[in-house]
């Protein structure tokens, strides 16, 4: 059995503010050890339960955060950017997927809530429903017939996951107080909770799950008009309002790739702050 661990950082143990997840900062250097600890705990739980292979796919920012030298030697890690499916690279070859260090979506309550862009994208909606990275990635996994078996993050992420990954085990490593504050459990404690949850999570593999069918309408609501204007240069993308664009895709696989491309286009259209 092959397991993919998609490891983001905002939902890792101890992480509560932007400096914690900004590569190169002193805080990031400290918190990346907690992300490594969470990830390692998931890897070990899956291997304890009999998984044959575990691939960790780095899913945050530059995708160079986890300390390889501290990872269980039985795992392998995909590090670095420019992967066709980004956070979900490797899902098509997996039998199950775990979302470690995940967070709630843009415009929603939750620690460091956002959807792909840390700012600029107010909300992503898929077929009218607000969509976090977890929901989006879970739809892609479901289309590929791969169950989401484990989700870790803050308590609100775990609550939300009940909707898009109903058979997944969840571990709340912190309790949200505000977007930049949380009551955090120490990594020694979260590691044992995650390891235990991962070990029990493989029970969900092989259970029948429905395959979601398109078409999928993606709506991206930005916080400034030029971000939407820039996106309409992409074929099939239309303006739905001064700050909102939309496109439709039959398959989630294509929708995900178009959405990721639009976040790049919009990010390039951001201007420095002025007043
Ligand atoms: Zn991230």
């Amino acid at each position: 059995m092959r397991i993919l661990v998609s490891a983001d950082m905002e939902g890792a143990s101890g992480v509560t503010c932007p400096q914690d997840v900004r590569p190169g900062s002193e805080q990031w250097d400290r918190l990346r050890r907690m992300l490594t600890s969470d990830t390692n705990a998931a890897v070990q739980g899956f291997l304890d339960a009999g998984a044959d292979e575990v691939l960790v796919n780095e899913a945050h920012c530059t995708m160079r955060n986890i300390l390889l030298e501290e990872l269980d030697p039985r795992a392998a890690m995909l590090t670095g950017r420019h992967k066709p499916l980004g956070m979900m690279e490797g899902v098509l070859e997996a039998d199950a997927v775990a979302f470690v260090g995940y967070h709630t979506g843009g415009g929603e309550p939750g620690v460091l809530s956002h959807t792909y862009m840390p700012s600029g994208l107010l909300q992503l909606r898929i077929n009218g429903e607000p969509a976090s990275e977890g929901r989006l990635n879970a739809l892609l996994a479901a289309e590929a017939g791969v169950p989401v078996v484990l989700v870790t993050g803050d308590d609100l992420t775990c609550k939300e996951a009940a909707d898009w990954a109903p058979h997944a085990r969840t571990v709340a490593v912190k309790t949200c107080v505000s977007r930049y504050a949380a009551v955090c459990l120490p990594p020694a404690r979260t590691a044992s909770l995650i390891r235990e949850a991962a070990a029990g999570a493989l029970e969900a593999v092989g259970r029948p799950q429905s395959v979601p069918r398109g078409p999928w309408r993606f709506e991206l609501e930005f916080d400034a008009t030029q971000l939407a204007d820039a996106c309409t240069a992409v074929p099939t993308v239309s303006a739905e309002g001064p700050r909102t664009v939309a496109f439709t895709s039959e398959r989630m696989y294509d929708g995900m790739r178009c959405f990721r491309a639009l976040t790049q286009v919009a990010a390039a259209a951001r201007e420095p702050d002025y007043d």
Side-chain angles (χ1 to χ4, degrees), residues 150-165:
L150 175 72
V151 178
T152 77
D154 70 3
D155 59 321
L156 299 179
T157 304
C158 293
K159 199 168 154 201
E160 188 200 292
D163 197 31
W164 42 257

Side-chain angles (χ1 to χ4, degrees), residues 7-11 21 59-61 65 87 101 103 112 114 116 133:
D8 201 357
M9 191 163 184
E10 287 84 354
V21 295
H60 173 71
C61 196
N65 307 281
M87 303 177 82
H103 50 84
L112 292 169
H114 70 286
Y116 273 79
E133 290 165 23

Side-chain angles (χ1 to χ4, degrees), residues 115-137:
T115 309
Y116 273 79
M117 298 174 69
S119 62
L121 180 59
L122 291 180
Q123 194 170 59
L124 165 68
R125 292 183 284 276
I126 298 178
N127 289 356
E129 277 221 50
S132 61
E133 290 165 23
R135 183 183 293 277
L136 174 64
N137 294 351

Side-chain angles (χ1 to χ4, degrees), residues 9-16 101-102 111-112 153-156 158 171-176 182-185 190:
M9 191 163 184
E10 287 84 354
S13 297
V15 168
T16 58
Y102 270 48
V111 177
L112 292 169
D154 70 3
D155 59 321
L156 299 179
C158 293
V171 178
V173 300
K174 54 199 167 191
T175 303
C176 177
V183 178
C184 300
L185 299 176
T190 57

Side-chain angles (χ1 to χ4, degrees), residues 114-239:
H114 70 286
T115 309
Y116 273 79
M117 298 174 69
S119 62
L121 180 59
L122 291 180
Q123 194 170 59
L124 165 68
R125 292 183 284 276
I126 298 178
N127 289 356
E129 277 221 50
S132 61
E133 290 165 23
R135 183 183 293 277
L136 174 64
N137 294 351
L139 282 169
L140 179 72
E143 184 179 81
V146 179
V148 180
V149 294
L150 175 72
V151 178
T152 77
D154 70 3
D155 59 321
L156 299 179
T157 304
C158 293
K159 199 168 154 201
E160 188 200 292
D163 197 31
W164 42 257
H167 302 305
R169 302 277 173 119
T170 60
V171 178
V173 300
K174 54 199 167 191
T175 303
C176 177
V177 172
S178 77
R179 196 173 180 218
Y180 300 135
V183 178
C184 300
L185 299 176
R189 174 114 167 259
T190 57
S192 61
L193 292 171
I194 294 171
R195 186 169 179 162
E196 197 182 324
L202 295 186
E203 282 171 11
V205 180
R207 270 196 212 170
Q209 64 168 14
S210 56
V211 176
R213 304 251 174 250
W216 305 103
R217 180 179 158 83
F218 283 68
E219 258 183 294
L220 289 77
E221 184 185 353
F222 296 106
D223 68 358
T225 56
Q226 89 276 9
L227 305 186
D229 292 343
C231 288
T232 57
V234 177
T236 76
V237 176
S238 59

